[in-house]
Structure formats: structure tokens, C-alpha cells
Amino acid sequence: MRIVLLGSGRGSNAEAILQAQAAGRLGRGQVVQILSDQPAAGILELGSRFGVPARFVDPAPFKTKLEGEGEDRWIAAIRACEPDLVVLAGFMRVLKPGFLGAFAGKIINLHPSLLPSFPGLDGIGQAWRRGVKVTGCTVHRVTAEVDGGPILDQLAVRVEPDDTFASLAAKIHAAEHVLLPAVIARLSETGA
Ligand code: GAR
């Protein structure tokens, strides 16, 4: 299963996926390309560490979505990899119908809350401010509804009385690093 990883930030989840692959825990999955919409993103540094091609693809002209010329460049870059699975690992852009149609049924996303609670930006902060006692992370298939596609799996995290926002965020990230590689491995073995 050929995997393309898309990310905008530090890339800790991409790193967890690459470590799982190196340890033989990614099923039939193989990461073939890392792409970022941010030229200085940490995720791009993983390429040389893990021997996977990694590069910036210009998302212009929009700041928070992929549409127009930027969407065309991204579709071409991903198509060239002939992916079976496109993984959004901290990719902070809204995807439009052209992109979704190009990779229909192949895109999955990681979100730092128990969807359908707290979709959109800052899922951890939304849950923290709301005062929930259980939150977590979700991997779901991507559809046109932002953070609304079919849920593949979730891990719950308890908010303890002595948690701070930072300690809660750290627990959710740790859960993400377990959940996302496990879902990819399962998809590669069973397709569902
Ligand atoms: C992760 O917490 C992921 O759930 C979140 O971005 C972070 C990326 O971290 N994604 C979203 O909020 C998507 N709406 P990373 O760059 O260290 O993997």
C-alpha cells in the first residue's frame, strides 16, 4: 500500500508512522512521499532521516484551503506518487471537491478530539475550555464535510484533575502516535 503523508507542522505523527514502518508495524504500508504546504515545516526534515522523498508544494494563492492553481499543483504532485492512501497528518488546509474527487476513498485524517465533538481548528483547546472529562483523538475518512467523514477509529484520553492544557495536549499527542499507525496498518491488511 503506497502512502503519501501530508503535513503542515512539526510532523510528530508522520514520525510515528515512519518509526512504525521501520519496526515492521505498518502492515503492508510503505511511505513513498512526504509533502508539506509550509517550506520550513519540521515534517520535511523526516525525509532525510528515514530515506523518504520530502518536499514543499506551493499551495498559493489561498491561505487556509487548497483551490485553484495550488490545488492543481497538489493533485499533480500526489498523482505522480500513485498512492493507495493519502494521510493527512497535521495538514491544516480545507480540501475542495477537485482534490477530494482526485483521490476519492483514499484520504484519511487525524483529528485531536473525539469527533463529532470539537471539529475544526484547535480541537484540544476547544475540549479543554469546555471542561470535558474525556477527550482523545480520531482517524476518519475525509469527505467534503470538514472533520465529518466516517470514523475509522478513536482513542480516549481522560482529563485528570491535575492536568494542565499542556499535559492534556501531550497525552492526546501520545495517543495519536499509537492510533494513526495502527489504523494505517489495519487498512493495509483489511482495507477497512
Ligand atoms: C495533530 O495533533 C493533529 O491531530 C492535528 O495537528 C497536529 C499535528 O501534529 N490536526 C488537526 O488539528 C487537523 N484538524 P504533528 O505535526 O506533530 O503530527
Side-chain angles (χ1 to χ4, degrees), residues 9-14 89-92 109-112 120 124 147 173 176:
R10 63 188 178 134
S12 70
N13 286 284
F91 189 64
M92 306 305 277
N109 181 47
L110 171 68
H111 185 77
I124 301 174
D147 297 327
H173 291 314
E176 291 182 323

Side-chain angles (χ1 to χ4, degrees), residues 7-169:
S8 306
R10 63 188 178 134
S12 70
N13 286 284
E15 183 173 359
I17 291 165
L18 290 160
Q19 280 172 345
Q21 180 178 314
R25 289 186 285 103
L26 205 62
R28 301 160 93 80
Q30 189 191 0
V31 179
V32 297
Q33 179 78 56
I34 299 167
L35 298 174
S36 182
D37 60 332
Q38 303 295 330
I43 191 172
L44 291 175
E45 293 164 19
L46 296 170
S48 54
R49 274 179 55 200
F50 288 90
V52 175
R55 69 183 178 96
F56 164 72
V57 178
D58 190 350
F62 299 103
K63 285 214 159 27
T64 60
K65 62 181 177 181
L66 269 189
E67 206 169 17
E69 289 172 22
E71 182 184 57
D72 293 343
R73 278 190 293 271
W74 273 80
I75 290 173
I78 297 171
R79 274 214 177 111
C81 305
E82 301 182 355
D84 301 300
L85 189 68
V86 177
V87 177
L88 310 183
F91 189 64
M92 306 305 277
R93 276 178 190 268
V94 175
L95 301 174
K96 295 294 180 178
F99 187 101
L100 297 172
F103 308 108
K106 294 182 177 175
I107 313 171
I108 66 172
N109 181 47
L110 171 68
H111 185 77
S113 75
L114 292 178
L115 292 171
S117 293
F118 311 121
L121 289 177
D122 192 20
I124 301 174
Q126 290 185 60
W128 174 253
R129 289 188 292 276
R130 185 63 182 82
V132 298
K133 299 304 173 198
V134 179
T135 181
C137 52
T138 301
V139 178
H140 64 94
R141 292 194 185 276
V142 174
T143 61
E145 184 189 350
V146 174
D147 297 327
I151 290 170
L152 288 164
D153 207 353
Q154 300 181 301
L155 271 182
V157 169
R158 279 201 69 82
V159 185
E160 302 294 350
D162 61 350
D163 265 324
T164 61
F165 174 76
S167 69
L168 176 63

